Amino acid sequence: MRLVPDLAVPHRPFQRAAGRRHGALFSAVALTAAWLAIPVLLGQYEVFIAAQVMIYAVATLGLDIVYGRAGQLSLAHASFFGLGAYTAALSGPLGIPLWVQPELVVLLAIAGGIIVAVPTLRLSGLRLALVTLLFGELFDWAIDHSLALTGGSQGMTVAPMTIGPFNSQGTVDAYLLASIIALGATLLTRQLARSQLGRRMLAVRDSELASASLGVPIVHTKITAFILSAVFAGAAGWVYAYVVGFVSPTTFNLFASVYFLVAVILGGAGRITGAWLGSAYIVLVPEVFNLVGYPNLFPVLGGGVLIAIALFLPGGLVEGAALIRAQLGLHRR
Amino acid sequence: MTALLKLDRVSVRFGGLAAVTDVTMAFSPGSLTGLIGPNGAGKTTLLNAISGFTAITSGHIAMNEIDLSPLSAAERARLGVVRGFQTVRLLERETVFDNVLVGCERLPQPGLLGQLLALPPERRCRARDLAATETTLRDLGLLPIAHRRVDELPFASRRLTEIARLLVVRPTVLLLDEPAAGLDTRDRRALVESIRTYHEAGGLTTIIIEHDIELVRRLCPYSVALDMGRIIASGSPNEVLSEPAVQQAYFGVRSGA
Amino acid sequence: MPAAALADAAQVTLSGLATGGLYAVLMLGVILVFQVSKNINFAYGQTGMVGVFLSYFLYAVAGIPVVAALLAGLALALLVASLTDRLIIRNIPAREGFDLVVTLGELLLLTSLAQLAFGTNAQSYLKLLTNWTTVRGGVFINANDILCLLLGIAVTLGGHIVLTRTSLGTSLRASAADAAIAKSAGINVLGLRTAVWTVSGLLAWVAASLFAARLSVNAFYMTPIVINVFIAGMIGGLDRYWPPMIAAFTIALYQSWAIYLFGEAAGTPAVFILVILLLSLVPKRYLEERHEARA
């Protein structure tokens, strides 16, 4: 049959998968080495920043599920992050025991995900963006107007999580805690990408019409994507509050949601590596600007980066790297 | 012979416009029907009505005596009524392989936790889906490009990928909307061959909308001509094409349009 | 005291309608842009904001005559609006939602640039008649309120007349319906598009200036305003004319009543509740956006 263009590549598509497996093994070893090296070689401050990169990576992976994979633009993502963070922050004053909190965060995130998802099911484009944005505004509003409990816009401090010798605000402890959820989230996302559920999301993103013709349950898929993204963000926020020890609404407002969007798009929507790169960007670059004394430059850069990526590299950094590799001819050994 | 798919006095109106009027048809299992007619005759609307993308205004559509009307497009797809589109819609940034793998949606899949935690049922289903995908790709000759991204492929390969996605889980009713549009002569011939091969394996009921009369003549034993939403002729392609009403619809001057 | 209550009600209604007038000014820009380029510009309010901030800097800090400062601010707003289209919107890949993302980026960029250039403190702008007040029947009538209301009505009617009665409007509607056909009919679609974006900059600047006179402003002040305008657009439908324009007035009136009845804190949830109610009540067909092209 000649519908396929004649190609120089011989008939052995599955051998390339084997080559990929070697690459994966090599990456795993390199990443483990880097993971061990960070707390050994770097100072306290850098390790703390590394922990934050991992925490933000979890939240970014969450937005990547709902926006990068399922194609639903959510401007409420920072609110889900805040939902987890304020659960941790308020657990002290409200006397919620530690062992209940993870379940509580997951339940709240699931509920939040459903609450945001259901009214947006019929919406797309501007309407979807606006309604999710309104949910974000409502979250901000709720924090601002519960002054007695949350300190309103002034924020509140969070007592560390302590289990025996473990103290979540200790440097290595924070690093470990962040590593655990980051690893969990990354493995879950990887499995999602391999599963039919992940492919359903891509189908819904690319064409709802085609998805329906394949039998994809569109509503179910969108709600699942929203719930997963909310759970990822909530878990990340919960750990964030315990590690950083302070929460205030500016970390969870519209601009924070836009930064998460920057992270997903900069890295490359629908790519795990992309979410990690994006998270590194939104944590590290402001730190660099702080160090050189121009903290105000970060939002300028953020806006510029979002525009530049959308204009020149819509696939994000991961795709850009693939393009460069292809240019150099490295992909065919 | 009992019909697999029955359309009984089906009408579709968009506001004041009657797109399909009183269409009654029956398709027996294993049949291969060409649907022809000039632009705007209501062919795609009829396909949309069968596949659930357009609600019918009146009438009944049933498959195996099951009333399809209350079912959504996705539910009909899971019953085995699948369709292709005039414009190829694929997962643009994914490979041919993954695009066909999505088609396994119509097989039973494990639940959320099963999929996310890669529990044993998920592994079994994945192995099953991978095998089905590979078989289909081999049958349609797509295996050499299985790991190419679809957005860098020529149109013919994209079209074939879409068809592979429909066929990866054997449909009960396959609806194709101008599958040969945009293909050159050789690709058309290859397409006809692959559809025929699948058909001869049995059990598939196909309805094809096609402007290329030659293709319909070669492929379809039976054809139906529509004009202005009504059936104007049916029978073998040659019979249909020699009907004065069909000649009139294609070449003649129409009044009142 | 029913007389006092009546006066209060009149007061709330007047100030709500005045805000509504400015929403309508903004809304016209949103509708026109949507019609010619099928895009939403999240940075729309910031387009006006940078113009206002530049004028403020020029007359209050640099000591340049007010009229010259205003003109410079206007020029900046027009430039930003047309460049948004020329440099950004026309060049983005045609993926759904990318226009939103890219203009969110521009929102962030303009806001943070304004903060960098003009500082983060709230400023008070030209009075623009806000200091002219007279009392009639217990109602404080502010000249700026009246100006905003009249301007809103004038822009609404003017927009209607231009769109329906002039050849310019015909060209606009033609290119909104089908750019390719409009082009083949000899309409300069791209020129028209640039003109419309520039006009949207003008409208944003006018509204931003008048809002700046009414509020003490920081770089964020236009964001919640524009969000309300987009909500009105979402409710009314951006491919129509009267429904979104009326929605612009209505939403402002609704919000000022909510604030009057339930306090300042009620502003945000009131709009939210309205949107959620409308989403769950209006029929599905009304909400569905342009379907994917013929299957």
Side-chain angles (χ1 to χ4, degrees):
Chain A
M1 252 164 266
R2 206 214 56 97
L3 263 182
V4 173
D6 301 321
L7 289 173
V9 188
H11 185 126
R12 40 157 197 158
F14 296 100
Q15 285 167 12
R16 278 181 64 189
R20 229 177 263 167
R21 212 165 294 140
H22 283 294
L25 186 67
F26 175 76
S27 321
V29 171
L31 286 175
T32 312
W35 179 77
L36 287 171
I38 287 172
V40 174
L41 299 180
L42 299 180
Q44 270 194 8
Y45 172 75
E46 287 82 1
V47 176
F48 175 70
I49 296 297
Q52 281 202 48
V53 170
M54 292 195 279
I55 293 168
Y56 270 87
V58 175
T60 307
L61 282 168
L63 183 60
D64 190 48
I65 290 173
V66 74
Y67 174 68
R69 291 173 199 276
Q72 307 299 304
L73 181 58
S74 164
L75 293 176
H77 199 64
S79 309
F80 291 123
F81 190 57
L83 192 68
Y86 274 95
T87 306
L90 294 175
S91 285
L94 297 180
I96 299 168
L98 184 63
W99 63 271
V100 179
Q101 291 177 33
E103 296 87 326
L104 185 63
V105 167
V106 170
L107 284 179
L108 284 174
I110 291 175
I114 293 174
I115 289 171
V116 175
V118 168
T120 59
L121 287 175
R122 308 190 308 203
L123 310 177
S124 61
L126 172 71
R127 292 162 195 244
L128 175 64
L130 269 183
V131 175
T132 57
L133 183 149
L134 280 179
F135 273 105
E137 298 283 295
L138 195 68
F139 179 81
D140 257 16
W141 174 87
I143 300 294
D144 276 343
H145 288 85
S146 50
L147 210 61
L149 205 55
T150 63
S153 57
Q154 295 304 304
M156 65 189 291
T157 54
V158 185
M161 176 205 300
T162 50
I163 312 168
F166 177 90
N167 178 326
S168 66
Q169 283 161 27
T171 310
V172 175
D173 311 46
Y175 186 74
L176 275 177
L177 184 61
S179 305
I180 292 168
I181 61 155
L183 184 67
T186 305
L187 291 179
L188 273 180
T189 314
R190 203 178 72 126
Q191 177 56 27
L192 176 75
R194 290 160 59 101
S195 71
Q196 185 67 17
L197 185 59
R199 285 186 293 277
R200 265 180 212 158
M201 290 179 185
L202 301 181
V204 169
R205 175 190 74 191
D206 284 2
S207 163
E208 292 197 12
L209 220 51
S211 308
S213 76
L214 295 171
V216 170
I218 294 174
V219 165
H220 180 272
T221 305
K222 285 184 182 175
I223 294 184
T224 309
F226 265 107
I227 289 177
L228 285 177
S229 87
V231 169
F232 275 43
W238 184 70
V239 172
Y240 172 88
Y242 276 123
V243 165
V244 174
F246 178 75
V247 291
S248 82
T250 49
T251 320
F252 314 111
N253 62 12
L254 172 64
F255 274 27
S257 286
V258 176
Y259 288 140
F260 280 122
L261 209 54
V262 174
V264 168
I265 290 171
L266 173 69
R271 309 283 179 215
I272 293 173
T273 320
W276 274 88
L277 289 175
S279 153
Y281 165 83
I282 57 172
V283 175
L284 297 181
V285 174
E287 289 302 326
V288 172
F289 280 126
N290 276 341
L291 285 180
V292 297
Y294 296 102
N296 294 333
L297 281 181
F298 178 64
V300 180
L301 187 70
V305 160
L306 206 48
I307 296 171
I309 287 285
L311 284 181
F312 305 116
L313 199 61
L317 288 180
V318 171
E319 204 136 301
L323 282 179
I324 291 169
R325 269 206 306 279
Q327 290 285 314
L328 296 177
L330 290 179
H331 66 310
R332 250 174 230 156
R333 266 161 284 184
Chain B
M1 187 159 37
T2 53
L4 174 81
L5 180 68
K6 274 188 205 158
L7 277 64
D8 182 23
R9 299 177 62 84
V10 169
S11 296
V12 179
R13 310 184 129 266
F14 299 113
L17 176 79
V20 170
T21 310
D22 268 347
V23 167
T24 300
M25 287 174 157
F27 302 90
S28 51
S31 61
L32 178 46
T33 308
L35 203 55
I36 61 172
N39 280 325
K43 304 183 300 290
T44 297
T45 306
L46 194 61
L47 223 60
N48 283 342
I50 298 172
S51 54
F53 285 88
T54 301
I56 57 174
T57 320
S58 63
H60 293 282
I61 301 178
M63 188 182 75
N64 281 331
E65 309 297 324
I66 305 168
D67 183 11
L68 293 182
S69 312
L71 303 180
S72 72
E75 285 164 335
R76 293 183 206 195
R78 269 172 268 152
L79 279 181
V81 182
V82 303
R83 65 167 301 173
F85 293 93
Q86 276 178 25
T87 339
V88 178
R89 296 164 199 273
L90 296 171
L91 311 179
E92 291 298 333
R93 295 160 63 205
E94 309 303 319
T95 60
V96 171
F97 193 93
D98 282 345
N99 267 284
V100 177
L101 195 54
V102 191
C104 296
E105 178 64 34
R106 289 185 290 118
L107 296 170
Q109 297 287 345
L112 173 64
L113 282 182
Q115 292 200 29
L116 280 186
L117 302 178
L119 300 177
E122 160 71 9
R123 291 174 193 208
R124 276 196 300 277
C125 288
R126 183 172 164 80
R128 172 201 67 193
D129 295 350
L130 291 177
T133 303
E134 203 184 331
T135 309
T136 309
L137 289 174
R138 181 168 299 126
D139 288 350
L140 293 177
L142 283 168
L143 218 39
I145 52 166
H147 290 285
R148 293 275 298 275
R149 268 173 56 149
V150 291
D151 56 358
E152 49 188 42
L153 293 176
F155 181 76
S157 308
R158 292 165 52 83
R159 172 64 82 190
L160 201 59
T161 303
E162 192 194 35
I163 291 175
R165 190 171 69 180
L166 300 176
L167 292 175
V168 64
V169 179
R170 178 164 283 273
T172 318
V173 174
L174 175 65
L175 309 165
L176 296 174
D177 196 350
E178 297 187 25
L183 302 187
D184 65 24
T185 321
R186 288 178 64 191
D187 287 339
R188 279 174 190 231
R189 203 163 296 145
L191 178 76
V192 166
E193 281 317 306
S194 45
I195 294 175
R196 184 174 294 153
T197 314
Y198 257 83
H199 233 271
E200 279 162 3
L204 185 60
T205 303
T206 307
I207 305 170
I208 296 183
I209 294 179
E210 190 47 70
H211 276 300
D212 179 353
I213 301 294
E214 268 317 300
L215 189 146
V216 174
R217 233 189 272 243
R218 275 205 311 276
L219 185 62
C220 308
Y222 189 73
S223 67
V224 174
L226 286 181
D227 187 36
M228 307 188 77
R230 291 175 187 274
I231 297 179
I232 53 169
S234 60
S236 78
N238 285 331
E239 285 167 15
V240 165
L241 287 167
S242 59
E243 284 277 338
V246 177
Q247 304 261 330
Q248 172 79 9
Y250 268 98
F251 310 111
V253 187
R254 272 187 285 153
S255 56
Chain C
M1 278 176 286
L6 207 62
D8 271 2
Q11 188 87 63
V12 172
T13 306
L14 177 63
S15 79
L17 287 176
T19 309
L22 294 185
Y23 282 7
V25 172
L26 288 166
M27 180 59 82
L28 181 63
V30 175
I31 293 174
L32 289 176
V33 162
F34 187 80
Q35 301 221 332
V36 297
S37 54
K38 301 285 169 278
N39 282 120
I40 296 299
N41 179 8
F42 256 108
Y44 180 49
Q46 305 314 88
T47 308
M49 181 276 293
V50 289
V52 166
F53 270 44
L54 180 67
S55 318
Y56 174 80
F57 175 80
L58 290 180
Y59 78 76
V61 181
I64 285 168
V66 172
V67 174
L70 284 179
L71 288 178
L74 171 62
L76 181 64
L78 299 184
L79 187 69
V80 169
S82 56
L83 288 184
T84 301
D85 180 42
R86 293 296 288 270
L87 297 185
I88 301 179
I89 301 288
R90 283 186 202 177
N91 297 316
I92 52 177
R95 230 170 83 191
E96 205 218 337
F98 246 45
D99 56 334
L100 298 177
V101 169
V102 99
T103 54
L104 274 171
E106 193 187 334
L107 165 78
L108 193 61
L109 186 68
L110 291 178
T111 310
S112 49
L113 279 176
Q115 280 188 322
L116 210 60
F118 309 116
T120 51
N121 294 332
Q123 315 284 0
S124 54
Y125 189 60
L126 290 173
K127 292 282 172 259
L128 301 179
L129 307 186
T130 39
N131 45 357
W132 284 26
T133 302
T134 116
V135 184
R136 290 285 157 83
V139 183
F140 286 87
I141 297 175
N142 183 295
N144 177 279
D145 278 355
I146 301 298
L147 177 65
C148 295
L149 177 56
L150 291 180
L151 193 66
I153 294 171
V155 161
T156 306
L157 295 176
H160 174 72
I161 289 168
V162 169
L163 280 174
T164 53
R165 301 279 163 82
T166 64
S167 60
L168 179 68
T170 313
S171 315
L172 256 171
R173 281 182 293 133
S175 46
D178 191 325
I181 291 176
K183 205 169 190 173
S184 66
I187 295 169
N188 179 358
V189 175
L190 282 184
L192 197 62
R193 185 176 160 143
T194 304
V196 161
W197 275 83
T198 312
V199 167
S200 85
L202 168 71
L203 294 168
W205 176 80
V206 168
S209 304
L210 285 164
F211 270 118
R214 297 158 67 89
L215 313 159
S216 80
V217 298
N218 60 23
F220 296 95
Y221 82 103
M222 284 302 282
T223 311
I225 291 167
V226 162
I227 288 171
N228 280 352
V229 172
F230 286 152
I231 289 169
M234 169 171 114
I235 293 169
L238 288 176
D239 41 7
R240 287 170 266 243
Y241 185 78
W242 286 105
M245 293 307 267
I246 291 168
F249 281 101
T250 314
I251 201 168
L253 197 58
Y254 168 81
Q255 198 172 25
S256 69
W257 269 95
I259 288 173
Y260 170 67
L261 292 176
F262 305 109
E264 191 62 44
T268 303
V271 171
F272 183 82
I273 290 165
L274 177 74
V275 168
I276 296 298
L277 274 182
L278 283 174
L279 286 183
S280 41
L281 292 181
V282 299
K284 188 178 179 197
R285 287 188 57 189
Y286 192 72
L287 282 174
E288 276 169 357
E289 298 188 18
R290 223 164 299 278
H291 285 280
E292 287 179 83
R294 183 173 135 112

